[in-house]
Amino acid sequence: MTSKNLFFKLMKEDLRSRIWALALIGIGFFFLYPVTVAFLAGEIQEYPIYEQGLMWYRDQIHTWLSFENGMMVLVMAVAGLVCGLSGFAYLNSRSKVDFYHSLPVRREIFFAVNFVDGIVILALPYAISLALGVVLAIGNGVESSVIIPVAVASFGLHMTYFMLIYTTVVTSAMLTGNLIVGILGCMVLAGFVPLASTILQGYFSTFFQTYAYDMGEKAFEMSRRISPIMEYLMQIGKYQMEQSIAGGVAIAWVVSLLLTGFSLWLYRRRPSEASGKAMAFSMSGPIIRIPITILSGLSLALMFWEFRKSTGWAVFGVICGVVLAHCVIEIIYHFDFRQLFKNRGQMVACLLATIAVLFVFRYDTFGYDRYLPSAGKVKSGAVWMRELNGWVDYGTFEQKEDGSWIYDDERASKVVLDQMHSTDVENILALATAGVDQTSRDFSSEKPVYQAKAVDYFDEDETKSIYQVMISYELKSGRKVYRQYYIDLDSVSEAVNRLFADEEFQKANFPLLAQSAENVDSIYFRRDRSKETKLSSLTDTQKKELLEAYQDEFSSMTLERFKKEAPIGLIRFVTEPEREGLEWQERRNRDQGTNPSRYWNYSSFTDMNYYPVYPSFTKTIELLKAQGIEIDLKYAQADIRSVQIYGYRGDKYRTITITDPKQIDELRNVMTEPRMLYYNRFYQSSDLNVDVTMVEDGETLEYDVQFPKDQVPDFVKKELNEAKPQ
């Protein structure tokens, strides 16, 4: 009875009883692959040029048949649920369990038969439909040498994460004795840890004012991966970004094997009388109920807090969440409404534990916001200011296998805090101390943390310059600690200027300052709204001289100079990969008939890696002028016909229009191009709105400009004060 033939005979009988699942999944994959591939082929004829349509079709098919197809996550999740629960559905029926277990067949054989059949039910129609899709794609012009390896790799990778989902579902089936409870169990196993991680991070970001959300905690990031669905999505994302997923695939198979072994262990020890019960093992009841109950209390507490910022309402949320979750789960466990308050002692314990967790965060019991390491424990530190370098591009140009180019961008805060290793720890701690001192835990006002958190650069009375500052400490123990503050930088201007002069800070925040002249392929300059100009006649010596001059002058910038100087131009030192990427983009635009925009497009390679040139950069400006570059802003020579200025004076809104040529000439000297201020968020402008009407190439155009905060001409102030309020 235990021969090899028996195993396959049992498989055949099981497949016959689950033919509905095989048919359902087969129909789904038929429409997903052969039908979709054939349907998309019809779009080729919609293009006026056949080659363009074929190119589009190849791109679509490549994505659809590859591991990049995110829709497969939903498909595999549903298929895993169907295959896993249908295979062991007999465990929910006492009569069927008694029948199967009365047969002279080892339990391991029954488990293996149902487990393997679940995989076959998915893999067989998937492989056939995918193969048909590949054949149809090749017949419609897709190269076989390209699409076949893609499809084969896709099959293996999608099957990897099907196995992860499938073994999770099988584990749930082993733990439960009812189909509906089994489905709920799948949701718990797949979603509890990521949900708990999200709620916990919500507590950190809500109650800890110095929590650096951008950097998060690795524990949060890793815990979200303890879900087959989330891990599946994460690996698809990495694959789309052409990052290696070999490690993730290996881990998925290891976890799948462990879950398979665990499920078999549970199957062998599962009592026959578990059929029809909510939980197959009595000891698993509180293990599952207690964490869900506590998480429910924390979730509702956070929701009520967000609405009212009230501790009382948060406690009310805890009570509601804990009691409701406990009662609902007890009803599900016992299928009896009269059991909703069973295990009241555990419910009270959950209630007290949840309130304790809430109070730890609400009152910062362990001093998270007051944390300041001693200088002796810190190996190095790093500082990132969003407003200082929010315009800097961090990343590299990379060429793909098909010859196209991409810009692999990285998050600014992560790059800076990972690459900066300043040993001037005392200065960094001085900034952090100011941040701690200026941190408020008064949650009662509409702006609970810092008055400037809701504005860009200045608080309401414009007496303070408050900026977001993120600090990381690399401790000698190897641990990294992150904190975020909103600091009045004027109160620590000495520490800020000392930081700006720190070479580690400069090179981490501004990659150009670490670039060597040998890597400079060419140099471009852009004046306000104008198109870039390539300095094509530079020798290697001149390139080096210009780069070093710019690096020296930019490195000497201080907080006060940033506040008072607006960029008058932009310069870009292009590397060889950048140049090749730009040339590829130009060819693509030409082939597609794309006209370059007159204005800036920050998604384009054309507008990346520019650095601002300030009026005080005399050496840089001198070298640029020697190459015939005009430095003055457009408004210096523009044919300006009128300047409209409007804004509040007191509580009255007033507008004036300047048309006198002499007054317009005076205004030219203080006009600042707003788009250039993208490269200097520290710059302090006046609160006036200014529109300039000018004639350019025979066309009347209107531009918005700004005035420096302390350089508004007296005649403008006088005329505004005398203007009739609107």
Side-chain angles (χ1 to χ4, degrees):
M1 290 294 292
T2 57
S3 66
K4 184 183 298 184
N5 290 335
L6 173 64
F7 179 82
F8 289 106
K9 183 178 180 181
L10 290 174
M11 277 189 65
K12 183 178 179 180
E13 290 299 321
D14 181 59
L15 285 173
R16 184 178 299 171
S17 67
R18 298 164 69 185
I19 194 67
W20 64 270
L22 186 63
L24 180 65
I25 293 174
I27 292 171
F29 275 114
F30 175 73
F31 279 95
L32 187 66
Y33 285 121
V35 172
T36 301
V37 170
F39 182 80
L40 290 175
E43 294 293 320
I44 299 176
Q45 306 303 323
E46 300 296 324
Y47 281 78
I49 302 176
Y50 175 79
E51 287 72 18
Q52 290 183 349
L54 183 58
M55 183 182 299
W56 173 88
Y57 180 70
R58 288 170 177 170
D59 289 341
Q60 295 298 312
I61 294 302
H62 184 280
T63 301
W64 193 253
L65 299 186
S66 75
F67 189 58
E68 295 181 43
N69 188 350
M71 184 178 290
M72 285 295 291
V73 177
L74 176 61
V75 172
M76 290 302 190
V78 174
L81 199 64
V82 170
C83 295
L85 294 181
S86 66
F88 296 93
Y90 73 91
L91 293 175
N92 301 326
S93 170
R94 180 65 180 271
S95 60
K96 290 182 178 180
V97 168
D98 289 342
F99 171 74
Y100 282 112
H101 289 178
S102 66
L103 298 175
V105 180
R106 293 168 54 199
R107 282 197 175 191
E108 291 84 352
I109 299 296
F110 277 124
F111 178 87
V113 166
N114 289 280
F115 187 85
V116 173
D117 275 353
I119 300 172
V120 172
I121 288 172
L122 179 282
L124 188 61
Y126 176 24
I128 293 173
S129 296
L130 183 61
L132 289 174
V134 169
V135 170
L136 288 172
I138 294 172
N140 284 289
V142 179
E143 297 92 337
S144 60
S145 60
V146 174
I147 200 62
I148 291 177
V150 167
V152 171
S154 172
F155 179 82
L157 292 171
H158 283 305
M159 283 301 300
T160 296
Y161 291 97
F162 165 78
M163 288 298 300
L164 192 59
I165 295 171
Y166 177 65
T167 52
T168 302
V169 173
V170 171
T171 302
S172 175
M174 297 301 106
L175 290 169
T176 58
N178 178 275
L179 179 61
I180 301 300
V181 178
I183 295 174
L184 295 175
C186 293
M187 295 171 62
V188 171
L189 292 179
F192 178 81
V193 175
L195 180 60
S197 173
T198 300
I199 296 298
L200 187 58
Q201 191 168 26
Y203 269 78
F204 271 83
S205 61
T206 298
F207 294 105
F208 293 158
Q209 311 306 340
T210 62
Y211 175 66
Y213 187 85
D214 282 356
M215 297 305 294
E217 297 287 345
K218 287 188 177 180
F220 290 138
E221 182 180 343
M222 294 302 295
S223 63
R224 291 194 181 99
R225 299 181 64 178
I226 306 178
S227 161
I229 305 297
M230 296 300 295
E231 176 67 7
Y232 198 171
L233 290 169
M234 182 175 293
Q235 296 304 321
I236 286 179
K238 292 178 67 175
Y239 186 86
Q240 291 172 341
M241 294 187 290
E242 300 186 352
Q243 298 177 4
S244 174
I245 61 172
V249 169
I251 291 173
W253 278 109
V254 170
V255 173
S256 297
L257 290 172
L258 290 175
L259 286 175
T260 302
F262 181 57
S263 297
L264 176 59
W265 182 82
L266 291 173
Y267 183 78
R268 295 173 61 185
R269 284 159 179 76
R270 179 188 172 100
S272 298
E273 58 270 18
S275 301
K277 294 183 179 180
M279 303 303 296
F281 303 92
S282 58
M283 65 176 297
S284 64
I287 294 175
I288 294 175
R289 184 189 64 246
I290 290 173
I292 294 176
T293 300
I294 292 175
L295 184 63
S296 298
L298 290 174
S299 301
L300 280 184
L302 188 61
M303 183 188 74
F304 279 104
W305 174 268
E306 291 295 341
F307 281 124
R308 292 298 180 194
K309 298 292 188 294
S310 165
T311 303
W313 277 107
V315 172
F316 174 75
V318 169
I319 296 172
C320 290
V322 168
V323 173
L324 287 174
H326 179 89
C327 293
V328 169
I329 294 173
E330 287 294 352
I331 292 171
I332 293 174
Y333 278 179
H334 302 284
F335 302 113
D336 186 352
F337 277 96
R338 293 172 297 180
Q339 301 294 325
L340 75 168
F341 284 114
K342 188 177 177 63
N343 296 309
R344 288 186 294 273
Q346 293 181 14
M347 182 183 71
V348 172
C350 289
L351 186 62
L352 295 176
T354 309
I355 291 175
V357 173
L358 171 65
F359 280 15
V360 164
F361 282 93
R362 168 63 181 89
Y363 296 104
D364 194 8
T365 306
F366 299 108
Y368 186 96
D369 284 339
R370 301 186 300 275
Y371 174 80
L372 281 172
S374 62
K377 294 182 178 180
V378 181
K379 179 180 178 181
S380 64
V383 181
W384 177 72
M385 299 181 184
R386 183 186 302 276
E387 309 306 336
L388 175 66
N389 58 358
W391 50 269
V392 178
D393 295 305
Y394 298 91
T396 56
F397 283 84
E398 296 181 0
Q399 188 174 26
K400 299 170 67 174
E401 292 182 0
D402 61 2
S404 63
W405 283 80
I406 60 171
Y407 185 77
D408 185 12
D409 199 10
E410 297 185 61
R411 193 167 73 247
S413 57
K414 184 180 186 304
V415 172
V416 172
L417 296 181
D418 284 349
Q419 293 186 359
M420 180 178 171
H421 303 283
S422 173
T423 55
D424 191 0
V425 176
E426 293 290 348
N427 190 53
I428 293 176
L429 285 173
L431 282 173
T433 301
V436 170
D437 292 342
Q438 294 174 29
T439 296
S440 168
R441 291 191 59 81
D442 177 15
F443 298 98
S444 60
S445 62
E446 291 185 6
K447 296 177 183 178
V449 187
Y450 314 98
Q451 287 187 343
K453 193 168 185 179
V455 300
D456 289 332
Y457 316 116
F458 310 106
D459 67 3
E460 292 178 347
D461 60 10
E462 295 189 3
T463 59
K464 298 178 181 179
S465 302
I466 302 178
Y467 301 87
Q468 179 187 11
V469 179
M470 195 178 294
I471 296 176
S472 73
Y473 309 100
E474 184 180 0
L475 305 182
K476 292 180 179 178
S477 64
R479 180 182 168 216
K480 262 206 165 185
V481 179
Y482 300 94
R483 289 295 185 271
Q484 176 178 279
Y485 308 98
Y486 284 79
I487 303 175
D488 173 13
L489 295 187
D490 288 336
S491 67
V492 284
S493 58
E494 182 178 344
V496 172
N497 287 328
R498 180 171 159 183
L499 178 69
F500 284 1
D502 188 325
E503 185 176 354
E504 281 287 325
F505 175 82
Q506 292 177 352
K507 291 183 176 180
N509 280 271
F510 306 103
L512 178 62
L513 301 185
Q515 185 172 333
S516 64
E518 291 76 16
N519 293 328
V520 177
D521 180 86
S522 53
I523 300 175
Y524 291 82
F525 182 81
R526 173 177 281 170
R527 182 173 66 96
D528 54 80
R529 299 173 187 266
S530 64
K531 187 178 179 181
E532 70 276 358
T533 300
K534 182 178 181 180
L535 282 64
S536 55
S537 61
L538 290 175
T539 64
D540 290 343
T541 301
Q542 290 172 321
K543 292 175 186 177
K544 180 179 180 181
E545 185 180 12
L546 184 52
L547 174 65
E548 292 178 349
Y550 182 84
Q551 290 174 330
D552 289 342
E553 292 180 315
F554 190 90
S555 299
S556 67
M557 290 293 287
T558 63
L559 178 61
E560 286 304 313
R561 287 174 59 187
F562 276 121
K563 288 182 179 181
K564 294 179 179 179
E565 291 192 52
I568 58 174
L570 303 172
I571 194 168
R572 179 178 185 178
F573 295 86
V574 178
T575 63
E576 184 176 353
E578 276 184 82
R579 175 182 57 77
E580 293 178 0
L582 286 167
E583 291 173 350
W584 168 82
Q585 179 181 255
E586 186 176 348
R587 290 194 303 270
R588 183 196 62 180
N589 291 342
R590 187 167 55 248
D591 294 342
Q592 295 179 351
T594 304
N595 292 322
S597 174
R598 177 177 183 175
Y599 300 109
W600 296 354
N601 172 15
Y602 290 103
S603 66
S604 167
F605 292 170
T606 308
D607 302 303
M608 291 179 174
N609 291 333
Y610 273 99
Y611 277 70
V613 176
Y614 290 93
S616 61
F617 289 11
T618 54
K619 179 65 173 177
T620 301
I621 293 173
E622 179 185 343
L623 293 173
L624 288 171
K625 286 185 174 180
Q627 298 299 318
I629 299 296
E630 296 181 13
I631 303 298
D632 295 334
L633 288 173
K634 175 180 292 188
Y635 308 109
Q637 305 296 330
D639 183 7
I640 300 176
R641 300 301 174 85
S642 66
V643 180
Q644 187 179 46
I645 305 170
Y646 47 99
Y648 280 95
R649 280 297 167 262
D651 59 347
K652 304 296 184 181
Y653 191 77
R654 306 166 191 265
T655 302
I656 61 173
T657 301
I658 306 297
T659 57
D660 181 81
K662 291 184 179 180
Q663 291 181 330
I664 289 177
D665 286 342
E666 187 174 346
L667 293 176
R668 293 178 195 271
N669 298 323
V670 294
M671 287 181 181
T672 299
E673 169 59 60
R675 296 193 182 191
M676 297 294 282
L677 298 183
Y678 169 76
Y679 295 88
N680 183 1
R681 310 290 180 84
F682 288 129
Y683 183 76
Q684 296 184 349
S685 301
S686 73
D687 58 354
L688 296 175
N689 298 304
V690 185
D691 292 334
V692 175
T693 301
M694 56 191 289
V695 176
E696 188 177 85
D697 298 330
E699 183 180 359
T700 300
L701 302 172
E702 188 174 281
Y703 296 113
D704 60 301
V705 300
Q706 292 183 356
F707 293 153
K709 182 179 179 181
D710 300 323
Q711 296 184 42
V712 179
D714 291 336
F715 76 86
V716 172
K717 298 178 184 178
K718 180 181 178 182
E719 291 191 27
L720 272 175
N721 290 331
E722 295 174 352
K724 183 179 179 180
Q726 296 182 356

